[in-house]
Amino acid sequence: MNYKKNVYRLLCIGLLNLSSAALAQHMDLKKGWNYREQKTQKWYPATVPGEIHTDLLHNKAIPDPFYRDNEKKVAWVERKNWEYKTTFQVSVATLKKKNTELVFDGLDTYATVYLNNQLVLKADNMFRQWRADVKKILKPGNNDLVIVFQSAQNVVDSLAKKDLPFIIPDNPRAYVRKAQYHFGWDWGPKFTTCGIWKIPRLEAYNTKEEEQPYVLNRKIELVQQPDSLGKSFYFKIDGKPVYMKGANYIPSDSFLSRVTKKEYEKVIALAKDANMNMLRVWGGGIYEDDYFYDLCDKYGINVWQDFMFAGTMVPGDKAFFDNVREEVKYQVKRLRHHPSIVLWCGNNEADEAFKNWGWQKSMKMSKQDSTRLWKDYVRLFQDSIPKWVNEVDGKRPYISSSPLFHWSEKESVKQGDSHYWGTWWGLEDIEVTQKKTGRFVSEYGMQSLPNYSSIEKFTLPEDRYLYSDVLQAHQKAGKGFLKLESYLHRYFIDSTKIKKMNVEDYTYLTQCLQHYALKNSIGIHRSKAPYNMGTLVWQLNDCWPVASWSVTDYDNRQPKAAWYAMREAYRDDKTPEIDLTRPKDLLLEDPKISWQIKGNKVILKALKPAKYVCISIKGYTAKWSDNYFDLKAGEEKAISFEGKITKPDIKVFSLYEVLKRY
């Protein structure tokens, strides 16, 4: 009898919760927004969600930040403070609710919120949800909402100056809980944004919904066991070891409001279609939108989730730690129901940076300051964050940093995950991968230019020569063109000829280089299983059109040459091909390629063997069924494109033809 009573009582409680939830009101506040520079008179229409740069662009107050070298022409924006305002209506029925709260899931970043001229909230973290009890401030009819954003750059500069002579390496950005890539990266521009980047809302309710326990229907383990060769690093899902094939994911736009569901679908489809089963959400970006993880759940793509710290040390004060604690708990609770997430990682490269990047010497750091920095680091990433994670998600593994060992150290290929940058940064040959494959290679790559169709969009004809100021503005890597020249010289063409190349041919060769590097690196990594149990290329995507390590282009997410190499190398139905013959050493003959169009297919044929056959149609920026492939003599190959194109302007490249021109 007691059992029946308890069941009845639980049912009643459930129904009450359902009824109170049904009576709760959520009102999105995304309409009627305007913005202005603080202390100026005129207001302009704003879009929410958005950011100040996109609003200025829509109002033709700035040029396209991605075009030519306009990045430097809009640098002034980040030094100003900006105001946003709207008016929304509240009904009497809403006012009768016991609780009414303003809820902000995304304020970027230093924001002061006023409702009906009363201060209700001060925010300082773009990764947290902020709530303000506004029951006593709301009124029937019109309510005025104003948000003032302080310049994040000015704030962090002020905080860094206040701390002097103590310095937190490597950038004042360390002080702010904001997407770190907004301060510039070696593949990204510097647009230090502000704005309402997620839709705010008014919540009115009588009783708060009870938090539902989450269920994780699979067992996730990270196995790190000492063995005769070092220490393993691999994932077991439901008791089975899984070899992880994938890439690193960065935010898909410098302006986050532009990453729509359609954009997420494009990017995740590129991962799925390239036979990937893991993406690493890199720690210098954002905790992604739920829809990103929904797609990963759907397609069986495992997610390595960094917390948002990258390549810098951290402040040790109580306010910073309290802020991070709330961020961690909020984000883990928000995301933990996604089965795709298999790992929480404290930060990107901060541990190895402190030990190997020479900060202490370059910044003339005292031993006292160095000790303080390390203690604060340990306290946050090795003590606090794992404890906070465990309080809300005790079902997934956590590691403090990726990686623990710099690529120059012997231990980096014996234990833990590895960011192997001996190739590219260390200018080592690609073949070195045979001797330097780690247990789980979570970063490595080779740079290339974006697709030529993309270059045409952000340049004028007079910019299209090596190495024009505009091309330099879209090459953020230190000595990037010199490194590319070094690899092109070794693998494709004598450096004396490179400077004579036109940009289209140069672009083609850099993409062939990236194709060659990734095809062989992936093949070598996979050949070393089970010693090696993961290979994650840097990187899947770009946030703007740029020379980078991305295997896809920012423009319409079109694949670059290396994407096609990855798709083949990540197949499970065949052993990846390894061919370390340097293209420079090939005896190439004129392949005399002919082609014809039938419907949405291009049929190609070569009289002699052809290497790196690349096909393009002017104005077409979608995916080809294949590209940058080899053709055997006499072989006929049909390549399909999406949709129908009237009077297509087709170009076909092969390695022989491009090299012969020089």
Side-chain angles (χ1 to χ4, degrees):
M1 188 59 117
N2 282 339
Y3 169 76
K4 286 182 180 178
K5 278 183 179 177
N6 285 336
V7 170
Y8 179 74
R9 187 169 63 83
L10 286 168
L11 281 169
C12 288
I13 290 169
L15 287 169
L16 280 168
N17 282 338
L18 280 170
S19 64
S20 65
L23 291 169
Q25 296 176 355
H26 286 198
M27 181 169 70
D28 284 348
L29 304 175
K30 62 179 182 179
K31 292 181 180 177
W33 286 93
N34 290 280
Y35 79 92
R36 71 177 179 186
E37 183 186 333
Q38 194 180 35
K39 296 179 181 176
T40 62
Q41 296 303 310
K42 191 172 180 181
W43 292 87
Y44 299 89
T47 302
V48 170
E51 41 272 300
I52 188 57
H53 291 78
T54 52
D55 285 328
L56 289 165
L57 186 59
H58 292 156
N59 285 279
K60 299 181 179 176
I62 59 171
D64 179 356
F66 291 0
Y67 185 62
R68 300 192 77 216
D69 55 355
N70 284 347
E71 177 188 357
K72 62 188 179 187
K73 294 175 184 173
V74 301
W76 62 271
V77 175
E78 69 183 36
R79 291 291 182 179
K80 304 289 186 180
N81 298 333
W82 299 92
E83 290 183 61
Y84 281 75
K85 72 171 183 179
T86 191
T87 298
F88 62 94
Q89 290 199 322
V90 177
S91 67
V92 173
T94 299
L95 291 172
K96 286 181 178 177
K97 298 289 182 188
K98 290 180 181 175
N99 305 283
T100 46
E101 293 179 318
L102 271 176
V103 184
F104 299 93
D105 291 331
L107 291 175
D108 175 16
T109 293
Y110 292 104
T112 309
V113 182
Y114 300 90
L115 180 64
N116 296 330
N117 294 317
Q118 291 194 47
L119 173 66
V120 295
L121 180 68
K122 279 195 161 190
D124 61 355
N125 187 329
M126 76 177 279
F127 305 127
R128 279 177 62 181
Q129 183 187 79
W130 298 92
R131 288 177 171 267
D133 181 355
V134 293
K135 170 75 176 169
K136 294 177 181 177
I137 302 171
L138 284 173
K139 58 186 182 181
N142 289 341
N143 288 261
D144 297 323
L145 181 60
V146 175
I147 305 176
V148 180
F149 290 96
Q150 276 184 283
S151 157
Q153 189 63 63
N154 289 346
V155 172
V156 298
D157 287 347
S158 172
L159 290 170
K161 191 176 179 182
K162 190 178 173 184
D163 253 3
L164 290 174
F166 179 69
I167 297 173
I168 297 178
D170 68 340
N171 189 295
R173 63 183 167 82
Y175 288 92
V176 62
R177 297 310 301 139
K178 172 175 174 58
Q180 300 287 278
Y181 82 111
H182 283 162
F183 294 88
W185 221 264
D186 58 3
W187 38 255
K190 187 179 189 302
F191 298 125
T192 311
T193 56
C194 72
I196 308 163
W197 71 288
K198 294 190 177 184
I199 299 169
R201 63 187 177 275
L202 185 72
E203 290 187 4
Y205 56 92
N206 289 326
T207 56
K208 208 171 184 78
E209 278 186 74
E210 285 188 24
E211 197 175 283
Q212 298 299 312
Y214 87 103
V215 178
L216 185 63
N217 288 321
R218 61 177 185 159
K219 187 180 180 185
I220 300 162
E221 300 168 83
L222 176 61
V223 181
Q224 298 187 82
Q225 292 292 335
D227 57 29
S228 60
L229 299 167
K231 194 177 183 182
S232 66
F233 189 106
Y234 68 92
F235 290 89
K236 275 171 86 172
I237 311 294
D238 291 331
K240 294 180 180 178
V242 178
Y243 188 97
M244 296 300 181
K245 309 167 299 171
N248 287 262
Y249 179 91
I250 66 168
S252 283
D253 206 295
S254 293
F255 307 120
L256 292 163
S257 66
R258 303 206 293 207
V259 189
T260 60
K261 284 190 173 184
K262 189 176 179 182
E263 286 301 300
Y264 278 122
E265 287 162 6
K266 284 183 194 174
V267 177
I268 301 303
L270 285 163
K272 175 183 175 287
D273 293 347
N275 300 306
M276 296 184 192
N277 65 1
M278 177 171 268
L279 289 175
R280 173 178 176 242
V281 178
W282 170 75
I286 61 168
Y287 306 93
E288 280 297 334
D289 188 270
D290 264 298
Y291 193 60
F292 171 92
Y293 303 96
D294 288 340
L295 291 168
C296 291
D297 295 342
K298 178 181 177 181
Y299 292 123
I301 296 173
N302 300 287
V303 174
W304 167 318
Q305 179 66 53
D306 280 3
F307 287 101
M308 292 303 118
F309 300 88
T312 184
M313 302 307 278
V314 292
D317 59 280
K318 183 179 183 298
F320 185 86
F321 270 61
D322 288 349
N323 201 353
V324 173
R325 182 186 67 240
E326 295 307 309
E327 170 191 323
V328 167
K329 288 192 171 184
Y330 166 68
Q331 291 293 350
V332 173
K333 283 171 85 169
R334 179 177 75 90
L335 298 175
R336 64 188 179 183
H337 68 279
H338 289 285
S340 54
I341 297 175
V342 297
L343 180 69
W344 303 110
C345 175
N347 68 71
N348 170 75
E349 296 186 347
D351 191 303
E352 62 127 337
F354 185 78
K355 295 169 182 171
N356 290 93
W357 289 7
W359 283 335
Q360 290 86 344
K361 187 177 179 181
S362 65
M363 296 180 175
K364 298 175 182 175
M365 204 180 288
S366 69
K367 189 171 182 182
Q368 183 182 359
D369 285 353
S370 180
T371 302
R372 173 181 158 187
L373 279 167
W374 183 246
K375 281 184 176 177
D376 289 340
Y377 172 90
V378 169
R379 193 159 54 90
L380 185 61
F381 295 109
Q382 295 178 17
D383 301 337
S384 301
I385 291 181
K387 185 184 79 171
W388 299 332
V389 170
N390 199 51
E391 287 171 7
V392 286
D393 178 20
K395 299 177 181 179
R396 288 179 176 86
Y398 169 88
I399 60 172
S400 61
S401 185
S402 172
L404 289 180
F405 301 99
H406 189 261
W407 58 263
S408 62
E409 295 183 50
K410 289 180 181 177
E411 286 303 305
S412 71
V413 296
K414 293 181 180 178
Q415 60 173 298
D417 70 308
S418 163
H419 291 191
Y420 195 75
W421 287 111
T423 304
W424 182 260
W425 287 111
L427 287 175
E428 293 177 347
D429 287 345
I430 293 158
E431 295 89 337
V432 81
T433 308
Q434 295 173 105
K435 296 178 181 177
K436 295 183 178 179
T437 291
R439 310 307 294 262
F440 191 108
V441 191
S442 50
E443 274 193 28
Y444 66 99
M446 177 59 67
Q447 209 192 60
S448 77
L449 264 67
N451 291 336
Y452 189 67
S453 60
S454 183
I455 292 171
E456 286 182 307
K457 284 188 178 180
F458 70 74
T459 60
L460 288 170
E462 58 261 38
D463 303 323
R464 294 171 203 151
Y465 66 90
L466 298 179
Y467 301 94
S468 71
D469 289 346
V470 170
L471 285 185
Q472 294 277 9
H474 291 255
Q475 165 64 281
K476 297 295 185 181
K479 298 181 180 176
F481 282 123
L482 285 174
K483 286 187 167 75
L484 277 173
E485 187 175 312
S486 173
Y487 281 104
L488 287 173
H489 172 71
R490 277 178 270 170
Y491 287 88
F492 284 89
I493 187 170
D494 289 340
S495 57
T496 53
K497 298 177 179 179
I498 291 173
K499 291 178 178 64
K500 299 173 186 174
M501 298 184 78
N502 66 52
V503 173
E504 189 169 17
D505 287 346
Y506 179 84
T507 297
Y508 167 83
L509 277 192
T510 66
Q511 293 217 7
C512 291
L513 168 67
Q514 191 183 33
H515 182 291
Y516 175 91
L518 296 193
K519 168 189 171 176
N520 286 302
S521 296
I522 292 169
I524 293 166
H525 290 166
R526 293 191 68 190
S527 74
K528 294 184 181 294
Y531 179 84
N532 167 270
M533 285 296 286
T535 175
L536 306 181
V537 167
W538 183 271
Q539 65 215 68
L540 175 64
N541 58 320
D542 271 327
C543 66
W544 78 314
V546 66
S548 81
W549 301 264
S550 177
V551 297
T552 63
D553 204 302
Y554 172 80
D555 183 25
N556 201 33
R557 313 297 166 190
Q558 56 185 312
K560 289 159 69 173
W563 182 87
Y564 296 97
M566 287 177 69
R567 182 179 64 179
E568 190 68 15
Y570 279 160
R571 284 172 59 175
D572 280 329
D573 60 340
K574 59 178 286 189
T575 303
E577 183 184 352
I578 302 168
D579 180 4
L580 291 167
T581 306
R582 297 191 177 191
K584 195 175 183 179
D585 298 331
L586 293 170
L587 297 173
L588 299 170
E589 296 180 82
D590 186 352
K592 295 188 177 355
I593 298 170
S594 60
W595 56 267
Q596 59 178 311
I597 291 182
K598 289 185 179 178
N600 72 328
K601 290 184 178 177
V602 182
I603 292 99
L604 301 108
K605 194 172 183 178
L607 293 181
K608 300 277 187 179
K611 195 80 178 165
Y612 295 117
V613 177
C614 165
I615 184 165
S616 68
I617 295 178
K618 192 170 183 64
Y620 178 72
T621 59
K623 192 165 61 176
W624 292 87
S625 61
D626 200 1
N627 217 346
Y628 289 86
F629 49 85
D630 295 346
L631 270 178
K632 294 175 183 173
E635 178 187 6
E636 191 172 271
K637 188 173 176 94
I639 308 300
S640 61
F641 53 89
E642 297 168 7
K644 290 185 178 179
I645 300 171
T646 55
K647 295 182 180 178
D649 181 358
I650 288 184
K651 278 189 179 179
V652 177
F653 289 83
S654 77
L655 188 59
Y656 170 85
E657 291 156 318
V658 171
L659 294 181
K660 189 188 176 190
R661 282 199 272 273
Y662 305 97

